[in-house]
Amino acid sequence: MVDGFPYEVPEEYRNMPLLKGRAAVDMKVKVKDNPNLEECVFHIVLDGYNAPVTAGNFVDLVERHFYDGMEIQRADGFVVQTGDPEGPAEGFIDPSTEKTRTVPLEIMADGEKEPFYGATLEELGLYKAQTKLPFNAFGTMAMARDEFENNSGSSQVFWLLKESELTPSNANILDGRYAVFGYVTENEDFLADLKVGDVIESIQVVSGLDNLVNPSYKIAG
């Protein structure tokens, strides 16, 4: 799959971990104080064809076991979010640079051959553009970022909890502003049962690891 990747990632991002194809992970969550659910495994499909930098960054962190033992940090009925490490840093500190590793905002639009980087579709003037990976399903997975800094994504990720009927594709405030890079395809309904303090026991890549290029955990992990 990697040999047949359909486009070149911009040069400034080419040395980052890139997922050139698809991959899947299983996220095992230990649930606290919930009589209906004690443990759940969420199967997540990651789309590196449309978000190679964002998905590659996530798979790299998974392979570093970055999320293992981390708590769910937000669960407000709209999204479930995690990825903020302990300490003052709000993202992943790369041990090889001792700086926060960030990824650019990465949006693939219908009709385009490669993603847009560093700008929202609104900023690009593409008000009617349709995103290839829309927020159209319960369990849509995206990269969190600072609201006023497009390229500030690092390790914090979130899953949308709204049904597609309430947030139709490209008719909500998220599409074109946040980078979607995957979807929960098994047990997604249980995301709504997660609460702040529930613990991610592990996330493991179960397929597609061979599509990861430039895995930095082998260099610096």
Side-chain angles (χ1 to χ4, degrees):
M1 286 189 183
V2 172
D3 291 339
F5 198 69
Y7 56 87
E8 284 284 351
V9 171
E11 188 173 356
E12 60 262 46
Y13 311 126
R14 224 166 272 173
N15 291 327
M16 299 184 72
L18 305 173
L19 185 65
K20 291 192 169 183
R22 290 195 179 87
V25 301
D26 281 346
M27 181 174 72
K28 187 177 182 181
V29 179
K30 182 70 174 177
V31 179
K32 298 179 179 178
D33 304 321
N34 188 330
N36 301 316
L37 190 69
E38 291 185 359
E39 191 174 84
C40 190
V41 176
F42 299 93
H43 187 71
I44 306 168
V45 175
L46 308 172
D47 188 339
Y49 285 114
N50 292 297
V53 179
T54 312
N57 174 72
F58 179 75
V59 173
D60 185 74
L61 293 177
V62 167
E63 285 295 289
R64 287 175 176 272
H65 304 287
F66 176 85
Y67 298 100
D68 295 3
M70 188 173 284
E71 293 185 349
I72 298 298
Q73 296 155 350
R74 178 181 172 186
D76 57 9
F78 181 59
V79 301
V80 167
Q81 184 165 322
T82 191
D84 184 0
E86 292 184 3
E90 295 185 352
F92 167 64
I93 302 295
D94 190 330
S96 67
T97 63
E98 298 184 347
K99 296 180 180 179
T100 302
R101 185 172 81 193
T102 58
V103 294
L105 179 62
E106 184 177 42
I107 306 289
M108 179 73 93
D110 278 347
E112 300 293 331
K113 293 183 178 180
E114 57 192 58
F116 292 107
Y117 289 92
T120 66
L121 293 186
E122 183 179 4
E123 289 168 344
L124 293 168
L126 301 174
Y127 299 101
K128 295 184 179 181
Q130 306 284 304
T131 55
K132 275 284 186 69
L133 299 178
F135 285 91
N136 70 340
F138 197 97
T140 301
M141 185 178 187
M143 177 63 66
R145 63 173 178 84
D146 184 5
E147 182 180 358
F148 301 106
E149 177 48 62
N150 292 341
N151 297 335
S152 60
S154 179
S155 59
Q156 295 191 47
V157 298
F158 66 91
W159 295 272
L160 185 71
L161 298 183
K162 291 295 184 182
E163 298 288 358
S164 57
E165 290 80 7
L166 301 177
T167 53
S169 300
N170 302 292
N172 57 70
I173 62 171
L174 298 175
D175 281 319
R177 297 183 68 224
Y178 291 88
V180 174
F181 63 100
Y183 297 88
V184 180
T185 61
E186 291 179 22
N187 290 328
E188 64 272 15
D189 291 345
F190 290 115
L191 283 167
D193 291 313
L194 299 186
K195 295 180 173 63
V196 172
D198 291 343
V199 177
I200 298 172
E201 292 188 341
S202 65
I203 306 182
Q204 294 182 318
V205 180
V206 294
S207 67
L209 186 58
D210 54 340
N211 290 328
L212 181 66
V213 181
N214 307 328
S216 65
Y217 61 93
K218 292 182 178 178
I219 300 169

